Amino acid sequence: MNDTGSVPPENDPLAFRYSGVLAQTIEAQWQDRWDTEGTFNTPNPAGPLANSAAVAGRPKKFILDMFPYPSGAGLHMGHPLGFTATDMYARYQRMTGHNVLYTMGFDAFGLPAEQYAVQTGQHPAITTNQNIANIRVQLRRLGLSHDHRRSISTTDPEYYKWTQWIFLQIFNSWFDPERKKARPIDQLIAEFEAGTRAPKSGEWASLSAADRRRELDQWRLAYVSDAPVNWCPGLGTVVANEEVTADGRSDRGNFPVFKRQMRQWMMRITTYADRLIDDLDALDWTDAIKAMQRNWIGRSEGATVHFDVPALRDRITVFTTRADTLFGATFMVLAPEHPMVDRITTPFHADAVANYRKAAEAKDTFARQDDGREKTGVFTGGYAINPLTGTEIPVWIADYVLMGYGTGAIMAVPCGDQRDFEFARKFRLDIVAIQDPTDDRGTDTHTWADAFVGDAPYINSANESLTLNGVASVAEGVHITNQWLVAHGHGNATITYKLRDWLFSRQRYWGEPFPIVYDADGNPHALPSAVLPVLLPETDQFSPRTFDPDDAMSNPESPLDRLGDWVELQLDLGDGVQTYRRDTNVMPQWAGSCWYELRYLDPTNADAFVDPANEQYWMGPQGEGHPGGTDLYVGGVEHAVLHLLYSRFWHKVLFDLGHVSSFEPFHKLFNQGYILAAAYQDERGMYVEASQVEARDGGYFYEGQPVRREYGKMGKSLKNALDPIDLCIEYGADTLRLYLMSMGPLDASRPWESKDVIGVHRFLQRLWRNIVDEETGALRLLPEPASVDTQRIVHRTIAGVREELEALRFNTAISRLIELNNHLTKLGGCPADTADTLVKMVAPLAPHIAEELWARLGHTATVTYEPFPVADAALLVADEVEYPVQVNGKVRSRITVAADADNDTVQALALADEKVQAALGGGAPKKIIVIPGRMVNIVA
RNA sequence: GCCCGAGUGGCGGAAUGGCAGACGCGACGGACUCAAAAUCCGUUGUCCGAAAGGGCAUGUGGGUUCGAGUCCCACCUCGGGCACCA
């Protein structure tokens, strides 16, 4: 570079070479044009965005990304990965005649914006809007074909108005256990009044107004509960079960979490447990994600069994999946918190029990769930009767039994359960073998090292009316015993779940306020939907009160509590004007993401969250047994439980209440992998900036010091993040898109290799050069028509690319286009009659260069809605086929045969081949296999 | 411990039970250039061989099959999820 500056483009002999600079120019022009023309605006059947003529006769596709949280750092590389995949798919679907709904919104409530606001004193709405504006610019640069009119932010009052409205729908509903669906609370009142359903708290007619209110609150799907919740002093808020990690800390911030009794909003998601499991069968999701959901819901089918406690004239009920082991139940264990502990404990054991309970209470959930911990427990002095053997068995308490699961009490079968076995060994309790183990350990349990688990013939398992002896399968044993228990009044078939109700309130500022007020008696009242949205009040005090993270006895204090003017209000809810207090909690961040896909369908509808006609068109069931929902949903596995479970639940409630026609929100789910990248640690184990590391002499160095390389998820914490926009500047968005998709299959995690990016860039450069002269910018197509050979390659590519794109295999689709382009390069350019086809195939993948080439080829309209090429079947079959000929499974020769030759001809030609003869060594073949069109295998 | 998923060249990866390694990176050789970069052309699993050709190759060991990267059984390694769930 000298004083005269850089060489002006007009003097550059290759001014029209497809470089990063040219790519950027082209991309900016087309992004402008797409915006100006509203190229990707998608018509609805009804409402403000309706254009019934444009909708008519076209199949639809609703293609959805998990919407991003608009962080101040902008997009990271993981975003374009999923977004590019959906964009390519959306563009392909448009070219195959589909009406495609594809847009992007923002999940913008939540902690980071609030914490940033606390630090800067700036209102979170301001920073959130800035971040959203910034991300919109970034998204635009990637060339994503979004319908911008449909974009939403969960923080927009016009959006969260409907989040609050849906909350009221849930609040005003109850779950009918007979019909297994949500129904309006009015219908419950009608049933109570008609006497067709009994209230839990007595005769409806004799209940006071206040009692009636409390009765109804016990049925509502959203309810205020004084229940054990996860209190996180470090965050200053309570969190849901799903937000607590296995080691008892908060998902966000990693603070300790404590169980506390508190009054909080809950959602009765447990009533939907069965449907949330069963309907997984109707979904096109991977088995891994389905397994995670099933696992979390944790349905366990078994039996409740009653054990009489003669001293109390009461009984202990336990849950078991292995009723068949009852003959081996030699003691019982209650959770320390079990309500019967006080009564069953004898005076002699009272002190020991009290001490043990105190100690257990002091331990947090984390410590109690630490697997492999030494078993502890104390005897209560009480006894219960084993209903099968009639014998008295001791009742203990121990903290390995959890109050939150089953009934909080177990029957202990030490011979068949490892935990019970350890407990029995430690406290010298009886261990009776009830199966003859299939290994050679024998039936003397004194010699056993552990419990025996598995199928084996039962022994010692009989009373006057029941015998399992001789039965060899656990399933059968369970079945027989369950029948006996029911017949003799000792138990029932029962299902339990691990899933708990969803804790739905947070003591924070930056979230949706509840559309709920409380009367003087503290009863919750729904606000009428006409007053929605309940706006988040202005304040400059955004922070909840946080506490010493370890201070379990602290109490939550919401920022909204401090806004006295806002909290108190005068209102007439039908009983005359009264003073009410607003609910000062806000909804969890998951609320806004529970239904955003529905708002995309009808984003400007002021009368309803979505017009039923639009919902039915975009998300309605596609035939018998089809659950409806989005045609494709792409996002990370990290939402496998939380978001996907919550939004399925909300969707089902809306379905039950008749607001949507689909019973699942996301029909096909695809989880993209992570982008990994090399990360480097210095000798202290600190991560160093990966971009500053140099590789030499077979090692890696940072500022001259050796560093250690590993691979990890690309991100700030490993200091190995790359900004996608930087790649757009260097090579162009089309190159970035192709690179992201060519790295490997979409669902696999793969390491980023910057040096590989050049490969797809070269492809685009060659593609360009096959059509455009690099010096003049003029077209340089080959005048003569494509040869039959070339046509065959083109049509095979068409068939291949179609197949790969349908199946979201973008990596192999790109490979096929590279192969075709390499062929054209060898020809010296693209034949004039082939250029349109080539450009159309590239269009979904690299849309900017495709639009530019399409325009240069003389077309005035966008390539977006051009029909995708269709392969000519006649050109997919060759005249002649080359058969590999194997002898004993090894390829020894190749023969070329007419494509329509019959098997006998192929066989004869194969045997006549010299090399085959040589390989046979004169021996007669035993068997000859001819796979038509494929190969020949001769068994010698 | 249990439940998923995956192991293929120097690297990322490709292969309806039918020619293993498509496509890309890198490397090597050549062209262009005063030179370099960029670009273009060619070679590239590995071993033996001058070549022709041949042997060996999809984590390990068995099996099914005319034929296995692909299906079955056992094991090893890595990644992810769950975990005192009765």
Side-chain angles (χ1 to χ4, degrees):
Chain A
M1 200 85 32
N2 54 38
D3 292 342
T4 59
S6 58
V7 181
E10 57 264 32
N11 294 341
D12 183 346
L14 295 176
F16 294 93
R17 168 168 288 183
Y18 185 82
S19 62
V21 175
L22 183 65
Q24 277 195 81
T25 314
I26 292 171
E27 288 172 5
Q29 282 168 7
W30 282 99
Q31 285 157 10
D32 287 346
R33 181 162 161 196
W34 292 334
D35 279 355
T36 315
E37 297 185 357
T39 306
F40 309 117
N41 289 353
T42 297
N44 266 353
L49 305 184
N51 179 347
S52 48
V55 169
R58 292 164 77 199
K60 65 87 191 179
K61 288 278 183 207
F62 181 11
I63 299 163
L64 183 69
D65 288 291
M66 287 187 187
F67 64 164
Y69 176 81
S71 91
L75 295 182
H76 57 75
M77 205 57 92
H79 291 121
L81 180 65
F83 298 168
T84 302
T86 49
D87 184 64
M88 288 179 176
Y89 191 67
R91 287 175 181 272
Y92 172 71
Q93 293 299 335
R94 286 192 193 99
M95 295 179 78
T96 51
H98 292 83
N99 190 24
V100 173
L101 201 167
Y102 181 57
T103 189
M104 183 63 67
F106 301 93
D107 188 15
F109 275 128
L111 276 182
E114 185 181 289
Q115 278 163 354
Y116 187 75
V118 170
Q119 284 162 22
T120 60
Q122 207 168 32
H123 196 279
I126 296 172
T127 43
T128 297
N129 288 336
Q130 283 169 352
N131 292 348
I132 289 176
N134 175 39
I135 290 184
R136 279 192 211 279
V137 170
Q138 295 188 322
L139 289 171
R140 187 176 183 276
R141 190 141 192 181
L142 296 170
L144 303 175
S145 58
H146 293 141
D147 181 345
H148 298 298
R149 304 169 308 164
R150 294 175 184 265
S151 184
I152 58 97
S153 168
T154 54
T155 52
D156 184 343
E158 280 309 298
Y159 180 86
Y160 72 69
K161 165 185 174 179
W162 295 109
T163 309
Q164 292 171 338
W165 182 86
I166 294 170
F167 175 84
L168 290 180
Q169 299 301 305
I170 298 170
F171 177 75
N172 284 320
S173 304
W174 60 292
F175 191 85
D176 180 336
E178 281 79 43
R179 296 195 200 172
K180 298 187 190 307
K181 60 176 278 197
R183 297 170 62 192
I185 199 84
D186 293 344
Q187 294 181 11
L188 180 66
I189 297 171
E191 289 197 13
F192 285 158
E193 282 170 351
T196 52
R197 184 177 297 271
K200 294 173 180 174
S201 46
E203 282 288 305
W204 183 251
S206 60
L207 292 178
S208 68
D211 286 342
R212 285 181 175 183
R213 176 166 286 284
R214 271 189 284 279
E215 171 72 26
L216 292 177
D217 287 346
Q218 289 181 55
W219 291 83
R220 294 179 189 276
L221 281 176
Y223 62 101
V224 177
S225 154
D226 214 359
V229 298
N230 305 298
W231 164 234
C232 180
L235 287 174
T237 185
V238 296
V239 292
N241 284 343
E242 292 84 342
E243 293 170 293
V244 182
T245 60
D247 52 358
R249 301 180 82 88
S250 61
D251 204 16
R252 265 181 196 282
N254 201 34
F255 295 113
V257 170
F258 303 92
K259 280 282 176 203
R260 282 282 304 278
Q261 291 281 127
M262 280 181 194
R263 236 171 118 70
Q264 297 290 336
W265 281 101
M266 305 290 285
M267 290 230 170
R268 235 177 274 277
I269 191 173
T270 47
T271 55
Y272 280 79
D274 279 331
R275 282 167 62 188
L276 289 169
I277 286 187
D278 295 341
D279 289 348
L280 287 172
D281 293 338
L283 298 177
D284 186 0
W285 294 12
T286 61
D287 290 340
I289 295 285
K290 288 186 183 182
M292 282 190 228
Q293 293 235 331
R294 286 199 188 96
N295 219 326
W296 189 266
I297 296 166
R299 178 161 65 187
S300 179
E301 295 176 31
T304 46
V305 184
H306 309 301
F307 286 67
D308 285 328
V309 183
L312 300 181
R313 300 187 177 196
D314 201 348
R315 55 195 199 175
I316 299 171
T317 300
V318 303
F319 173 77
T320 177
T321 55
R322 290 291 307 277
D324 61 308
T325 62
L326 254 169
F327 283 105
T330 51
F331 60 101
M332 300 188 77
V333 185
L334 307 180
E337 308 92 328
H338 194 281
M340 201 182 280
V341 173
D342 281 331
R343 285 189 292 140
I344 202 167
T345 303
T346 57
F348 180 76
H349 293 90
D351 283 349
V353 167
N355 288 338
Y356 186 80
R357 292 178 84 180
K358 205 175 284 173
E361 215 171 282
K363 284 176 200 155
D364 54 35
T365 352
F366 167 42
R368 277 187 63 174
Q369 290 181 359
D370 183 11
D371 197 3
R373 204 165 49 89
E374 181 84 355
K375 292 279 176 291
T376 62
V378 293
F379 180 42
T380 62
Y383 290 88
I385 307 291
N386 181 324
L388 257 60
T389 61
T391 51
E392 272 197 337
I393 57 176
V395 178
W396 287 60
I397 64 170
D399 63 9
Y400 80 92
V401 176
L402 308 173
M403 198 58 219
Y405 185 77
T407 62
I410 63 159
M411 62 179 210
V413 184
C415 67
D417 181 288
Q418 186 58 26
R419 294 157 301 176
D420 298 345
F421 183 88
E422 287 168 20
F423 195 83
R425 267 288 146 81
K426 176 160 180 190
F427 296 106
R428 299 175 190 285
L429 295 158
D430 291 345
I431 304 175
V432 178
I434 49 150
Q435 285 172 293
D436 187 4
T438 45
D439 48 24
D440 50 11
R441 62 171 78 188
T443 56
D444 178 5
T445 58
H446 293 96
T447 65
W448 289 12
D450 55 10
F452 174 82
V453 185
D455 278 324
Y458 292 93
I459 54 170
N460 303 325
S461 294
N463 61 22
E464 306 86 64
S465 52
L466 170 70
T467 180
L468 299 176
N469 293 340
V471 173
S473 104
V474 166
E476 200 183 340
V478 169
H479 182 71
I480 296 170
T481 314
N482 282 352
Q483 284 187 323
W484 187 92
L485 287 170
V486 173
H488 291 76
H490 289 298
N492 292 99
T494 309
I495 298 173
T496 64
Y497 304 89
K498 208 176 81 178
L499 182 71
R500 309 280 90 185
D501 275 347
W502 176 18
L503 176 71
F504 195 71
S505 39
R506 300 290 184 276
Q507 290 71 49
R508 308 211 65 94
Y509 175 72
W510 193 228
E512 299 89 347
F514 281 81
I516 293 286
V517 293
Y518 296 89
D519 61 27
D521 298 327
N523 296 310
H525 295 256
L527 288 169
S529 48
V531 308
L532 299 183
V534 175
L535 290 171
L536 194 53
E538 287 297 328
T539 176
D540 52 6
Q541 304 282 306
F542 317 116
S543 184
R545 178 138 175 244
T546 55
F547 300 86
D548 178 338
D550 297 310
D551 182 5
M553 298 323 286
S554 50
N555 280 309
E557 206 175 279
S558 165
L560 300 184
D561 279 327
R562 295 190 281 257
L563 304 173
D565 292 352
W566 180 78
V567 172
E568 276 202 13
L569 75 166
Q570 304 282 314
L571 205 59
D572 185 349
L573 291 175
D575 301 321
V577 175
Q578 295 189 24
T579 301
Y580 292 92
R581 286 183 61 82
R582 290 187 191 272
D583 195 301
T584 57
N585 296 298
V586 296
M587 299 185 197
Q589 193 181 353
W590 311 108
S593 59
C594 269
W595 72 284
Y596 71 110
E597 74 285 354
L598 288 163
R599 193 59 180 170
Y600 285 169
L601 309 180
D602 211 355
T604 54
N605 191 330
D607 305 322
F609 73 109
V610 59
D611 185 318
N614 289 330
E615 188 276 333
Q616 187 141 20
Y617 175 73
W618 289 112
M619 289 179 75
Q622 311 287 299
E624 193 62 30
H626 190 285
T630 64
D631 296 284
L632 178 64
Y633 192 27
V634 173
V637 270
E638 63 271 23
H639 294 112
V641 174
L642 298 156
H643 160 61
L644 290 173
L645 200 62
Y646 295 150
S647 45
R648 291 179 66 213
F649 164 54
W650 274 37
H651 201 91
K652 286 181 183 304
V653 176
L654 292 171
F655 172 78
D656 288 350
L657 298 176
H659 297 302
V660 295
S661 65
S662 43
F663 63 84
E664 284 285 339
F666 314 117
H667 178 240
K668 181 181 173 76
L669 174 71
F670 199 97
N671 295 111
Q672 90 241 21
Y674 293 118
I675 293 188
L676 310 176
Y680 302 88
Q681 283 174 296
D682 64 17
E683 278 159 341
R684 297 168 302 164
M686 302 293 287
Y687 286 99
V688 302
E689 194 55 48
S691 57
Q692 305 296 317
V693 170
E694 43 178 350
R696 60 179 147 88
D697 314 329
Y700 300 92
F701 299 88
Y702 174 75
E703 294 180 344
Q705 297 300 308
V707 288
R708 205 155 39 85
R709 183 174 70 160
E710 60 178 35
Y711 279 89
K713 194 176 160 188
M714 188 184 268
K716 258 188 287 184
S717 54
L718 300 185
K719 294 195 180 169
N720 61 354
L722 287 175
D723 186 344
I725 301 307
D726 288 344
L727 267 290
C728 292
I729 291 168
E730 194 174 350
Y731 294 104
D734 283 337
T735 296
L736 173 63
R737 291 164 58 105
L738 289 190
Y739 175 64
L740 284 168
M741 291 300 110
S742 67
M743 291 163 85
L746 187 57
D747 55 354
S749 292
R750 48 304 205 21
W752 178 279
E753 286 294 348
S754 290
K755 68 176 168 59
D756 291 357
V757 178
I758 192 72
V760 285
H761 187 67
R762 279 182 196 144
F763 160 58
L764 292 178
Q765 206 169 60
R766 287 172 198 158
L767 170 77
W768 178 266
R769 184 157 50 221
N770 279 333
I771 296 174
V772 177
D773 187 298
E774 292 185 326
E775 290 180 26
T776 64
L779 288 182
R780 53 162 297 248
L781 299 172
L782 302 181
E784 62 271 20
S787 67
V788 175
D789 186 37
T790 296
Q791 287 181 50
R792 286 223 168 92
I793 293 171
V794 169
H795 283 261
R796 276 208 302 273
T797 306
I798 294 170
V801 169
R802 273 183 170 265
E803 203 180 308
E804 310 293 7
L805 290 184
E806 294 286 356
L808 304 173
R809 290 191 298 256
F810 304 103
N811 53 332
T812 45
I814 292 166
S815 297
R816 285 175 177 276
L817 286 170
I818 293 176
E819 280 182 282
L820 170 60
N821 194 57
N822 287 349
H823 171 79
L824 298 177
T825 303
K826 284 197 173 65
L827 293 182
C830 181
D833 63 359
T834 305
D836 280 8
T837 303
L838 175 65
V839 169
K840 282 192 277 192
M841 282 197 282
V842 172
L845 309 175
H848 309 90
I849 191 176
E851 288 276 30
E852 183 67 20
L853 290 171
W854 187 247
R856 283 169 185 263
L857 287 168
H859 304 283
T860 49
T862 171
V863 74
T864 305
Y865 295 98
E866 287 298 317
F868 200 86
V870 179
D872 179 350
L875 286 164
L876 293 178
V877 289
D879 298 339
E880 292 189 323
V881 186
E882 190 187 67
Y883 280 77
V885 183
Q886 297 181 343
V887 177
N888 291 333
K890 291 201 160 128
V891 179
R892 295 297 174 180
S893 185
R894 290 163 200 287
I895 54 170
T896 302
V897 180
D900 55 359
D902 61 22
N903 284 3
D904 288 346
T905 313
V906 174
Q907 186 173 321
L909 280 163
L911 282 173
D913 186 86
E914 265 179 38
K915 289 178 190 160
V916 172
Q917 283 298 326
L920 287 171
K926 290 198 187 103
K927 190 173 178 186
I928 302 173
I929 295 115
V930 178
I931 311 295
R934 282 284 185 178
M935 64 174 316
V936 181
N937 189 15
I938 300 170
V939 186

